[in-house]
Amino acid sequence: MELGIGIGWRPEIADEVEALAGIDWVEAVAENLCDGHLPDSLLRLRERGVRVVPHGVALGLGGADRPDPARLASLAARAELLGTPLVTEHIAFVRAGGPLTASPRLEAGHLLPVPRTWDALDGLCENVRIAQDSLPVPLALENIAALITWPGEELTEGQFLAELVERTGVRLLIDVANLHTNHVNLGQDPAKALDELPVEAIAYVHVAGGVERNGVWHDTHAHPVTAPVLQVLAELRSRVDPPGVLLERDDAFPPAAELAGELDAIRATLRDAAPPAEQRPATRHAARDGGGDRGRAPAAPVPAGTRDRTAVAQTALLSSLVAGTPAPEGFDHRRLRVQSRALAAKRADVVAKVAPELPEILGDGYRAAFLAYAGGRPMSGGYRRDALDFAEHVLIAGGPADPVARRRLTYWWQDRSGARPPRRITRLVRAARAALVRKGTP
């Protein structure tokens, strides 16, 4: 199926997206859409014939556990609601711990790389098959950007993706910005990856901006698309005509004119990099043919112990990143520190978005307070739970110092956590609130 040129739909730029000329489709983060109800902007886009593709970020198909049936059902419901031709997710793990390791569940709040080993591939393939069987439309999976690499990897990124497609028939969402990120951070050659992966399985392509700091490329989705990323797009276009290309922007949103300029640069790159007709390889596009899982190989059982080994390895890594436990053997300790700081910074940013009252109440002290909290409190649930836990942590510690801010934070926390059992801490906070009211604090 031909998708054309698209842009990531975000509530902050809904009006700008609707006004952009030449937009064939949009992509929306699946977890940000409510069950049974679409934002008015997406409804208007659909009425104009603009396709909407849900893009999941929370399944964790590369994790040791099998996919959560509730998350799969939610993603399937959004696919039905949108009438989408496909859904997309990531080749990543996002949580670890739990029953397989008899340890507390940890949430990364971010996409972390899967070790490119045969063990990890076996578990990933089974998880992908489970997801495919649970979804009403074909699934495409995205390669991720990485700050770290696993020791002892047995496959290159291109080989890993090729084997995944061969075993499952899944489609690919190739993010050229992530290929560039892995080139800068890990020394991986984007051209080699493109040569090795099955480009005929590409459903569509992501293009996004980032920034380099101290020799590390950060895939921020909050900066303009750079020339090196467009060069990777050109490399891909020289090999295949992708059914769709989409511009991602998740923060620091520019004026509509700048978004239009980046889309024009993407169109120009695709046009200029197209090989002459007589030189184009005769590729068969799975996304155009509607092949879905047509190429799926017969399922093979996951070898005994595979998930256990993956669980132990991923839990050790995530624990070192979010809980300060010793780094697993073989990892670059400097890169682990960079990744750990990046995870904490992202937690602070996302909590500020899902609970904007917190930075408003705490003012300039919000970020420092949250990073101090995150250093000793791993995330065990979603970001909304994280926001509540952070507010509770501040209150228990006696903050904020300003009594008006403390009262506001107390009311905010209590209004949103009333369904929880009244533990001792809850009673203490309620007592503090009552005391503030009795004293007539303004």
Side-chain angles (χ1 to χ4, degrees):
M1 176 179 290
E2 294 287 348
L3 290 170
I5 298 296
I7 188 169
W9 182 90
R10 303 293 183 266
E12 297 89 340
I13 52 170
D15 293 341
E16 289 82 354
V17 169
E18 287 188 62
L20 284 170
I23 295 299
D24 302 306
W25 63 294
V26 298
E27 179 191 78
V29 176
E31 288 79 4
N32 291 347
L33 301 177
C34 296
D35 289 333
H37 174 72
L38 292 177
D40 291 342
S41 173
L42 289 181
L43 290 174
R44 288 190 293 269
L45 287 168
R46 289 187 66 210
E47 288 170 359
R48 286 166 37 190
V50 176
R51 290 192 180 96
V52 182
V53 173
H55 186 52
V57 298
L59 272 183
L61 292 174
D65 292 314
R66 291 176 176 83
D68 179 0
R71 294 181 188 275
L72 282 173
S74 181
L75 185 56
R78 284 159 174 76
E80 296 279 11
L81 181 65
L82 291 166
T84 182
L86 77 165
V87 298
T88 58
E89 247 288 352
H90 298 81
I91 302 169
F93 80 99
V94 297
R95 60 188 63 87
L100 284 177
T101 57
S103 62
R105 175 73 71 186
L106 298 173
E107 292 280 343
H110 190 60
L111 304 164
L112 294 175
V114 176
R116 290 196 285 269
T117 62
W118 294 108
D119 260 7
L121 181 64
D122 287 337
L124 172 63
C125 287
E126 183 177 67
N127 288 351
V128 169
R129 291 175 187 278
I130 293 170
Q132 289 171 318
D133 291 341
S134 303
L135 296 170
V137 292
L139 172 68
L141 295 180
E142 179 180 353
N143 59 302
I144 72 163
L147 291 173
I148 55 177
T149 187
W150 287 79
E153 292 195 321
E154 300 163 323
L155 299 159
T156 66
E157 183 166 24
Q159 291 168 342
F160 193 82
L161 294 176
E163 188 71 24
L164 174 65
V165 170
E166 177 68 23
R167 292 193 192 186
T168 66
V170 75
R171 301 176 183 181
L172 296 177
L173 193 180
I174 295 300
D175 190 314
V176 294
N178 291 349
L179 291 178
H180 172 68
T181 301
N182 295 344
H183 170 63
V184 176
N185 293 346
L186 308 176
Q188 298 172 359
D189 183 2
K192 180 181 179 183
L194 291 172
D195 285 339
E196 291 177 338
L197 65 84
V199 293
E200 69 278 2
I202 293 176
Y204 62 88
V205 174
H206 273 173
V207 182
V211 64
E212 187 171 348
R213 299 191 191 98
N214 301 320
V216 175
W217 185 267
H218 295 270
D219 178 47
T220 63
H221 293 192
H223 292 81
V225 176
T226 62
V229 170
L230 291 176
Q231 182 56 46
V232 180
L233 177 63
E235 286 276 0
L236 184 147
R237 179 63 188 92
S238 70
R239 292 162 171 79
V240 70
D241 180 10
V245 179
L246 180 128
L247 172 65
E248 282 191 297
R249 187 77 178 226
D250 291 328
D251 208 348
F253 300 102
E258 290 186 31
L259 293 173
E262 291 199 310
L263 288 165
D264 286 343
I266 289 171
R267 293 186 184 97
T269 299
L270 294 170
R271 181 184 63 246
D272 296 344
E278 65 275 10
Q279 296 179 15
R280 293 177 189 172
T283 57
R284 173 181 176 273
H285 288 280
R288 288 179 180 149
D289 296 339
D293 307 330
R294 190 178 298 166
R296 183 192 292 194
V302 175
T306 295
R307 288 188 180 276
D308 293 336
R309 289 190 295 271
T310 300
V312 169
Q314 291 182 344
T315 301
L317 174 60
L318 185 52
S319 181
S320 73
L321 292 173
V322 302
T325 57
E329 185 178 353
F331 281 93
D332 183 322
H333 289 212
R334 183 181 70 86
R335 287 298 176 93
L336 287 182
R337 287 193 295 272
V338 173
Q339 180 71 82
S340 181
R341 289 194 296 269
L343 290 178
K346 180 170 183 180
R347 279 176 71 184
D349 291 341
V350 178
V351 165
K353 285 186 175 181
V354 302
E357 302 88 353
L358 294 179
E360 178 190 343
I361 293 170
L362 298 176
D364 293 341
Y366 163 75
R367 192 168 187 86
F370 188 90
L371 293 178
Y373 152 82
R377 292 286 297 271
M379 189 163 69
S380 58
Y383 282 110
R384 297 187 191 282
R385 177 74 263 159
D386 207 22
L388 283 170
D389 289 345
F390 167 61
E392 183 179 278
H393 172 81
V394 172
L395 290 168
I396 292 170
D402 177 67
V404 175
R406 181 169 176 80
R407 185 175 71 169
R408 290 182 64 196
L409 185 62
T410 301
Y411 286 174
W412 181 91
W413 179 86
Q414 197 168 32
D415 287 345
R416 287 157 180 79
S417 60
R420 297 177 63 191
R423 299 180 302 163
R424 180 173 180 272
I425 294 302
T426 307
R427 294 195 300 271
L428 287 174
V429 173
R430 287 178 180 171
R433 173 180 172 177
L436 287 170
V437 172
R438 286 195 302 270
K439 290 178 181 178
T441 306

